[in-house]
């Protein structure tokens, strides 16, 4: 009985999930009342284009990371948070400086981005990789990987308990 309890507790510890991405804000702080609805502003999303922005003012930076097996940390969730913060800061460009899709090490989308304010946005467009339908497609793949990882952890724990007994 002690072995089963030990394995159940171990399984719970191993498969415990954080509910969200860990967001680390750099150079700014937002209170809950400063957050705005995503539709209230126009934000362009680009990737690794630091050198192409002339006269850009950096308003802050953000990093989405994961300290374990997360559930609500897919790309769609992270990008929505990035957009919300950008709008609250008055940024009109989110420049993704690095990103990692869910993989063996983490079920979460991880990314770093800078929030920029650019005077002239004429001709600026969002990178096609960050169109909503592309983000949702990648996020769905991440959700499926999370479900598979959680299922594997549960099955492994049950099998371990049965084998040890």
């Amino acid at each position: 009985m002690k072995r089963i309890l030990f394995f159940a507790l171990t399984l719970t510890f191993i498969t415990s999930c954080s509910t969200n991405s860990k967001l680390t804000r750099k150079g700014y702080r937002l209170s809950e009342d400063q957050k705005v609805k995503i539709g209230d502003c126009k934000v362009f999303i680009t990737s690794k284009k630091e050198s192409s922005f002339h006269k850009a003012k950096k308003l802050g930076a953000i990093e989405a990371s994961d300290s374990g097996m997360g559930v609500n940390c897919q790309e769609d969730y992270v990008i929505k948070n990035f957009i919300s913060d950008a709008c609250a800061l008055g940024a009109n460009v989110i420049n993704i400086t690095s990103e990692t899709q869910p993989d063996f090490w983490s079920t979460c989308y991880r990314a770093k981005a800078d929030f920029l304010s650019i005077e002239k946005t004429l001709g600026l467009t969002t990178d096609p990789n960050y169109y909503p339908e592309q983000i949702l497609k990648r996020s769905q793949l991440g959700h499926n990987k999370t479900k598979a990882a959680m299922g594997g952890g549960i099955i492994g724990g049950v099998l371990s308990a049965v084998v040890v007994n």
Side-chain angles (χ1 to χ4, degrees):
M1 184 63 169
K2 288 181 183 180
R3 288 183 193 170
I4 292 173
L5 181 59
F6 171 77
F7 283 108
L9 290 173
T10 303
L11 176 65
T12 301
F13 176 76
I14 291 171
T15 61
S16 64
C17 301
S18 61
T19 56
N20 298 319
S21 283
K22 178 182 174 189
L23 296 176
T24 305
R25 294 168 172 91
K26 299 174 185 174
Y28 72 99
R29 284 193 179 152
L30 296 178
S31 63
E32 283 302 313
D33 59 327
Q34 286 178 294
K35 293 190 177 184
V36 295
K37 292 181 183 175
I38 290 174
D40 291 348
C41 73
K42 177 70 173 163
V43 178
F44 299 100
I45 303 174
T46 63
S47 179
K48 303 171 189 160
K49 295 195 177 190
E50 298 162 19
S51 62
S52 65
F53 296 125
H54 302 293
K55 297 183 182 179
K57 181 179 179 184
K58 185 175 173 179
L59 303 176
I62 193 165
E63 179 178 358
S65 59
D66 177 34
S67 59
M69 188 171 172
V71 217
N72 194 12
C73 58
Q74 298 308 323
E75 186 175 357
D76 57 341
Y77 175 83
V78 171
I79 296 295
K80 283 179 187 175
N81 277 283
F82 283 14
I83 293 171
S84 177
D85 279 21
C87 291
L89 289 172
N92 53 7
V93 174
I94 299 171
N95 186 38
I96 308 286
T97 57
S98 73
E99 66 182 332
T100 306
Q101 292 294 332
D103 56 20
F104 177 77
W105 301 107
S106 174
T107 57
C108 288
Y109 169 80
R110 285 99 59 207
K112 294 179 184 179
D114 292 330
F115 298 123
L116 307 173
S117 176
I118 299 175
E119 274 185 47
K120 297 179 183 179
T121 58
L122 188 64
L124 184 62
T125 60
T126 290
D127 183 320
N129 286 325
Y130 298 101
Y131 288 169
E133 60 274 6
Q134 295 299 319
I135 292 170
L136 288 174
K137 187 187 292 185
R138 288 188 300 270
S139 293
Q140 188 58 47
L141 290 172
H143 286 295
N144 292 342
K145 285 181 182 180
T146 300
K147 288 177 190 175
M150 290 172 66
I154 292 169
I155 291 169
V158 170
L159 289 175
S160 295
V162 170
V163 169
V164 170
N165 250 349

